[in-house]
Amino acid sequence: MRRPEMLGRLSHGERPAVLGAACIAVVAAATACTAPAAATSPVAATRAATRVLMVMGASANEPAPASTRTIAGMVRDAIASDDAVLDIAVDGPAGPVAHTPVDLVLRRGTQVEHDADRRARLTADLLASVGHTLATTAGSSGQVDTLGLLAHVARSPGSVTAVVFSSGLQSVGPLAIEAPGVGWDQVGTQKVVDAVVAQHLLPDLRGKTVVFSGIGDVAGLQPPLPDSVRVRLVNHWLGLCRAAGGDCRADQEPLPPTAPASTVPAPVVDVPALPPLDVARGDPIELPSAALFGPDSAALLPSASAVLATFARVLPADVRVRLDGRTATVPPADSARRFSLARAQACADALVAAGFPGDRITVRGLGYDAPLVADLDAGGRLVPDAAARNRSVTLTVTTNGGQP
């Protein structure tokens, strides 16, 4: 059964698991000892070692975790300290499951290895072993739960440097991308961060260093994210992580497109994208605001400007275009009309900039006066999917005889 919704308040224990045999064999050779059990690790028992934590979702819709240059550098620095341990945890149905800690101290017998050539070989072996383990690890939760991974980091005692491998496409709990109050229109905004803080949904990450890897990287059935949406998603998780008190940054190196090891189906999250602009059909074309604009902005994204420019160049000379801007039902009505007009006008400006005559374009800002669909439930609350559809600019093409 999946963990409760209030992920930031969890304190459940974790089941021990075992690393792959190949990793254990290499680590044993590098440290000249067998891999210790989690409860009796001599590293943890005798000293406060430098701790590196890698926690991952490794779902069927995410590329296999990989050791990027940044991550390999972190592990290499930890090895060089002669006082470090690596913890790995993988998401499961009840939350992240901890693997046996790996002693990163290079040894000859029971003593720290000091010979430079031998240290170089042992370091390379350890890095290769860690990379193999990451590439072959399979999550079993059937969800993408980035917030749950952060909660695991928060529960780790003491000062920890953690790598969180996740696409960031949260599919479960109150921070799911498609949950009420989130949605692509709001992802990456301070409004979401403030609401999450007010609801006490974040774990306590004070004293933790968090490096996100793979945010926006997808595999399996999950559609790819446009660059603008990926940037928004990175900002979303950095904002939440920092609001939780963590020292947080994102690894800018994308994960290689390696097939995931997991075969447990995971939900597919809808990604905002512009539909094909088909002049021949003549039907109104709904352009979702999340694919046109940044959150709370009437400035067109570069990707949207390029699509509209291409469309303008193929429009026949004898047509007219009407652009109707709409918003979700969020008062005040006058502000909604002005905002929707500004967004529709931005689309018109892009068409004109690409050569389509401005006197053949009609622009209207409807706000929520004429919604495409009803977006309030019986209690007056926004219905997320319907609200997202209403946040749009509708483009209608007519011939001279039609009424734009």
Side-chain angles (χ1 to χ4, degrees):
M1 196 173 168
R2 193 69 186 166
R3 60 175 72 84
E5 297 287 272
M6 303 295 280
L7 296 171
R9 300 175 182 175
L10 298 182
S11 60
H12 64 267
E14 296 156 341
R15 307 189 301 274
V18 180
L19 283 173
C23 184
I24 290 295
V26 173
V27 171
T31 62
C33 63
T34 56
T40 59
S41 168
V43 176
T46 58
R47 52 186 161 80
T50 299
R51 295 186 60 233
V52 177
L53 170 63
M54 295 185 181
V55 58
M56 61 203 72
S59 77
N61 287 345
E62 299 170 295
S67 185
T68 63
R69 288 187 295 271
T70 295
I71 294 166
M74 293 169 57
V75 176
R76 190 178 290 109
D77 291 344
I79 293 171
S81 73
D82 290 331
D83 184 21
V85 64
L86 170 65
D87 293 321
I88 294 179
V90 186
D91 205 14
V97 178
H99 286 230
T100 304
V102 177
D103 186 357
L104 295 181
V105 179
L106 305 180
R107 304 180 192 276
R108 179 179 298 191
T110 60
Q111 302 300 312
V112 174
E113 177 62 69
H114 293 293
D115 180 79
D117 290 340
R118 184 171 172 80
R119 284 183 66 88
R121 290 195 301 273
L122 294 176
T123 298
D125 288 344
L126 269 176
L127 290 172
S129 172
V130 170
H132 174 77
T133 299
L134 294 177
T136 56
T137 296
S140 59
S141 71
Q143 299 286 349
V144 175
D145 189 3
T146 313
L147 185 58
L149 302 182
L150 290 176
H152 181 84
V153 174
R155 292 192 295 270
S156 301
S159 178
V160 173
T161 297
V163 180
V164 175
F165 291 97
S166 177
S167 68
L169 292 172
Q170 181 86 17
S171 62
V172 64
L175 273 185
I177 299 297
E178 297 174 341
V182 187
W184 285 115
D185 285 60
Q186 299 302 317
V187 165
T189 66
Q190 189 60 39
K191 179 180 178 181
V192 170
V193 175
D194 293 342
V196 170
V197 170
Q199 296 175 63
H200 307 288
L201 296 176
L202 293 177
D204 185 355
L205 293 174
R206 288 175 295 181
K208 317 295 185 187
T209 298
V210 177
V211 178
F212 289 103
S213 181
I215 297 292
D217 294 335
V218 300
L221 299 177
Q222 178 62 51
L225 277 64
D227 288 343
S228 58
V229 175
R230 180 193 296 264
V231 170
R232 199 182 306 175
L233 194 61
V234 170
N235 292 337
H236 177 70
W237 286 108
L238 286 177
L240 293 170
C241 184
R242 290 165 180 163
D247 177 8
C248 311
R249 62 185 186 274
D251 186 353
Q252 298 301 316
E253 182 179 348
L255 293 177
T258 309
S262 177
T263 58
V264 179
V268 171
V269 176
D270 287 338
V271 176
L274 293 174
L277 301 183
D278 187 352
V279 181
R281 291 184 58 186
D283 298 330
I285 303 170
E286 297 174 20
L287 307 176
S289 289
L292 293 170
F293 308 99
D296 300 323
S297 170
L300 272 177
L301 298 169
S303 56
S305 295
V307 171
L308 289 171
T310 299
F311 180 66
R313 287 191 285 269
V314 300
L315 282 172
D318 62 342
V319 301
R320 298 185 64 84
V321 172
R322 186 179 71 215
L323 294 161
D324 292 329
R326 290 181 173 84
T327 69
T329 307
V330 179
D334 285 345
S335 295
R337 294 186 195 103
R338 286 194 297 270
F339 187 55
S340 63
L341 178 62
R343 284 186 158 181
Q345 185 62 54
C347 294
D349 293 344
L351 295 177
V352 172
F356 189 78
D359 60 2
R360 303 187 72 81
I361 302 175
T362 301
V363 179
R364 301 192 301 178
L366 303 178
Y368 52 84
D369 295 332
L372 297 170
V373 291
D375 60 7
L376 296 179
D377 63 17
R381 295 176 294 269
L382 276 179
V383 178
D385 288 346
R389 184 178 173 190
N390 283 333
R391 295 185 183 105
S392 64
V393 176
T394 301
L395 185 153
T396 306
V397 177
T398 61
T399 61
N400 274 334
Q403 296 297 318

